[in-house]
């Protein structure tokens, strides 16, 4: 094991607790997402409803974006995250009760999806801003990769497990999900309290908009997170996996779980590599290349009629996405002062949410208009076009060599 990995895993006990909490909450969310998607498709058989679930879950990120970042900067981030995880446990319990009584309806799923999105909207900036305080700055890029591996570790086993358990009944998925969220809540509360003084001023329009202004003033940061927004918004096909599993690849819930897990296999393997060998040079060119590979893999998946080839392509897709995510995540956090990390993370979370949840709505809508396969193929082509356009629009980002230069580190530590 490398020096970076040894320090993270053996000498950073708070980081290990943080990592385990991320595993639990990611596992819970992945199992819940698989179950809700399959449950909805069983109820209505409408691909547009799958997209609407993603849209409803995304809406809270827009509605509460300015407030989520301010909360993360003003209050104890570990308590904010724990409260959100506890709320998600209650949502899972509501599905347990609904499943046991047979009263889960299309409308109930939409309501709970909105509540789930609200809890995740507040949880994401709090957990993202919390990580830099748990490890030394020199280890932060490796910590980002290791933290990302927590989610990928969960999404390898959790979707497949969720799909398998759903074959026995939805209750068998929702109950373990509630337990996982409860454990994540307990682990998060066990982290050391925040050392920096909490912000005491009341929320104002100026403070709420500070994160947006900061990102706009940093062209490379804006280019990195907007690239992810449009590339994954167009290229994502997650919402359509139930359709591919059932109607194109001719498999069942267990096959859907494997399809959901496949990108995480590639992402996990890549995160292990990046934690051992952190990216230090040519980060801009590497990020753009990874996004292009993501687009090509999306096209290949859309054209595939083989279950096993589809799994292999999704593994490649996940590995490419992990490279882009680690570069973007480390770059944004290293360029942002701690007093603003919550608000900047909230804006970044909006971009991530738009690329995922709003992308699910886009996938469902285009599949409704053009058909499932054309929607995915056109999305992959769109990702390639965005990659080329962003290289021209943000040439400094494309030519960027390191995540943080010495003069940038000094400016971040001592912001004006």
């Amino acid at each position: 094991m490398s020096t970076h990995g040894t320090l993270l895993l053996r000498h950073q006990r708070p980081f290990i607790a943080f990592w385990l909490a991320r595993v639990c909450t990611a596992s819970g969310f992945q199992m819940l997402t698989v179950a809700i998607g399959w449950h909805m498709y069983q109820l209505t058989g409408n691909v547009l409803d799958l997209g609407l679930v993603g849209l409803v879950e995304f809406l809270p990120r827009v509605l509460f974006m300015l407030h989520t970042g301010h909360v993360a900067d003003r209050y104890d981030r570990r308590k904010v995250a724990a409260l959100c995880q506890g709320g998600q446990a209650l949502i899972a319990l509501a599905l347990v009760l609904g499943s046991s009584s047979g009263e889960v309806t299309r409308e109930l799923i939409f309501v709970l999806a909105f509540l789930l999105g609200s809890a995740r909207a507040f949880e994401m900036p709090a957990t993202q801003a919390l990580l830099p305080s748990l490890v030394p700055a020199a280890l932060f890029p490796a910590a980002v990769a290791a933290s990302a591996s927590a989610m990928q570790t969960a999404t390898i086993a959790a979707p497949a497990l969720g799909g398998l358990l759903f074959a026995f009944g939805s209750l068998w998925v929702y109950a373990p999900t509630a337990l996982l969220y409860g454990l994540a809540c307990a682990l998060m509360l066990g982290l050391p309290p925040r050392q920096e003084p909490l912000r005491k001023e009341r929320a104002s329009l100026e403070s709420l908009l500070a994160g947006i202004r900061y990102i706009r003033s940093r062209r490379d940061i804006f280019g990195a997170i907007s690239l992810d927004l449009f590339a994954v918004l167009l290229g994502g096909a997650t919402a359509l996996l139930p359709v591919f599993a059932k109607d194109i690849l001719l498999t069942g819930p267990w096959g859907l779980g494997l399809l959901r897990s496949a990108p995480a296999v590639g992402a996990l393997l890549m995160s292990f590599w990046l934690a051992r060998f952190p990216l230090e040079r040519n980060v801009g060119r590497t990020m753009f290349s990874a996004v292009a590979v993501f687009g090509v893999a999306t096209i290949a998946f859309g054209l595939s009629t083989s279950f096993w080839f589809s799994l292999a392509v999704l593994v490649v897709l996940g590995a490419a996405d992990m490279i882009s995510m680690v570069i973007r995540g480390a770059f944004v956090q290293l360029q942002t002062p701690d007093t603003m990390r919550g608000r900047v993370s909230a804006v970044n979370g909006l971009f991530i949410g738009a690329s995922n949840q709003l992308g699910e709505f886009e996938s469902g809508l285009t599949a409704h208009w053009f058909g499932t396969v054309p929607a995915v193929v056109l999305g992959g082509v769109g990702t390639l076009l965005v990659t080329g356009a962003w290289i021209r629009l943000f040439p400094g980002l494309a030519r960027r060599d390191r995540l943080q230069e010495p003069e940038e580190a000094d400016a971040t530590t001592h912001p004006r």
Side-chain angles (χ1 to χ4, degrees):
M1 180 178 291
S2 67
T3 302
H4 290 90
T6 300
L7 288 174
L8 283 174
L9 296 178
R10 295 183 180 178
H11 302 293
Q12 299 294 333
R13 293 183 180 180
F15 176 79
I16 294 175
F18 177 86
W19 190 91
L20 289 173
R22 294 274 287 174
V23 169
C24 290
T25 191
S27 297
F29 178 70
Q30 291 296 328
M31 291 175 65
L32 202 57
T33 300
V34 169
I36 287 176
W38 193 268
H39 208 152
M40 177 65 85
Y41 197 55
Q42 275 190 336
L43 288 173
T44 69
N46 190 341
V47 294
L48 184 59
D49 281 338
L50 297 177
L52 288 174
V53 170
L55 177 62
V56 169
E57 188 180 329
F58 169 72
L59 283 178
R61 293 183 186 269
V62 178
L63 296 176
F64 308 131
M65 178 193 69
L66 297 177
H67 299 284
T68 57
H70 190 84
V71 167
D73 284 337
R74 187 179 181 187
Y75 299 102
D76 190 329
R77 290 164 180 164
R78 63 198 178 102
K79 292 182 179 179
V80 173
L83 180 63
C84 294
Q85 290 156 358
Q88 290 170 86
L90 294 178
I91 292 170
L93 286 176
L95 286 166
V96 169
L97 296 176
S99 296
S100 61
S101 60
E103 296 180 355
V104 175
T105 63
R106 175 177 180 270
E107 291 72 23
L108 177 62
I109 289 178
F110 282 139
V111 170
L112 294 180
F114 181 83
L115 295 176
L116 180 64
S118 299
R120 287 176 57 79
F122 282 89
E123 179 190 11
M124 180 174 288
T127 54
Q128 287 184 344
L130 181 63
L131 179 57
S133 66
L134 299 179
V135 296
L139 297 178
F140 186 67
V144 172
S147 177
S149 74
M151 296 189 66
Q152 305 310 324
T153 299
T155 52
I156 287 176
L161 179 61
L164 178 63
L165 292 176
F166 198 94
F168 296 96
S170 57
L171 183 65
W172 288 86
V173 184
Y174 297 136
T177 298
L179 293 176
L180 286 170
Y181 277 123
L183 182 56
C185 178
L187 287 167
M188 195 63 68
L189 289 175
L191 294 177
R194 185 175 177 180
Q195 299 300 317
E196 298 83 5
L198 298 176
R199 296 170 56 87
K200 298 299 184 182
E201 73 272 14
R202 293 184 178 180
S204 65
L205 184 60
E206 181 178 356
S207 66
L208 293 175
L209 293 175
I212 296 176
R213 286 197 296 267
Y214 186 84
I215 290 175
R216 288 185 60 187
S217 69
R218 302 298 192 274
R219 185 167 175 79
D220 285 356
I221 293 179
F222 179 71
I225 62 177
S226 60
L227 172 66
D228 177 77
L229 165 65
F230 289 104
V232 180
L233 174 64
L234 296 172
T238 303
L240 300 179
L241 288 181
V243 184
F244 274 91
K246 186 174 185 292
D247 299 333
I248 297 176
L249 302 177
L250 305 179
T251 183
W254 68 273
L256 172 61
L258 290 177
L259 290 172
R260 288 297 300 264
S261 299
V265 173
L268 180 64
L269 294 175
M270 183 55 66
S271 68
F272 286 158
W273 176 268
L274 294 176
R276 181 176 177 83
F277 303 104
L279 292 169
E280 297 179 354
R281 307 298 298 269
N282 299 317
V283 294
R285 185 171 60 187
T286 301
M287 182 178 67
F288 279 103
S289 298
V291 175
V293 171
F294 180 91
V296 172
T298 300
I299 295 173
F301 174 77
L303 296 174
S304 173
T305 57
S306 166
F307 177 73
W308 298 108
F309 180 74
S310 295
L311 286 178
V313 169
L314 289 176
V315 170
V316 174
L317 182 148
D321 188 45
M322 174 57 65
I323 295 173
S324 173
M325 183 174 65
V326 168
I327 293 175
R328 185 184 69 253
F331 178 63
V332 171
Q333 293 291 341
L334 288 173
Q335 296 286 323
T336 306
D338 182 73
T339 55
M340 292 189 61
R341 282 190 175 121
R343 284 164 290 174
V344 170
S345 295
V347 179
N348 189 29
L350 176 64
F351 279 71
I352 295 173
S355 64
N356 292 324
Q357 278 74 48
L358 193 56
E360 292 182 8
F361 174 69
E362 180 271 338
S363 297
L365 188 62
T366 53
H368 181 71
W369 286 344
F370 306 115
T372 302
V373 171
V376 174
V377 172
L378 289 173
V381 172
T383 296
L384 295 177
L385 294 176
V386 166
T387 303
W390 255 239
I391 291 175
R392 290 182 173 271
L393 291 172
F394 301 93
L397 178 61
R399 294 192 302 264
R400 190 173 187 89
D401 185 38
R402 297 179 182 273
L403 290 170
Q404 187 179 48
E405 302 295 343
E407 60 273 15
E408 293 174 337
D410 183 70
T412 303
T413 305
H414 304 95
R416 296 179 179 179

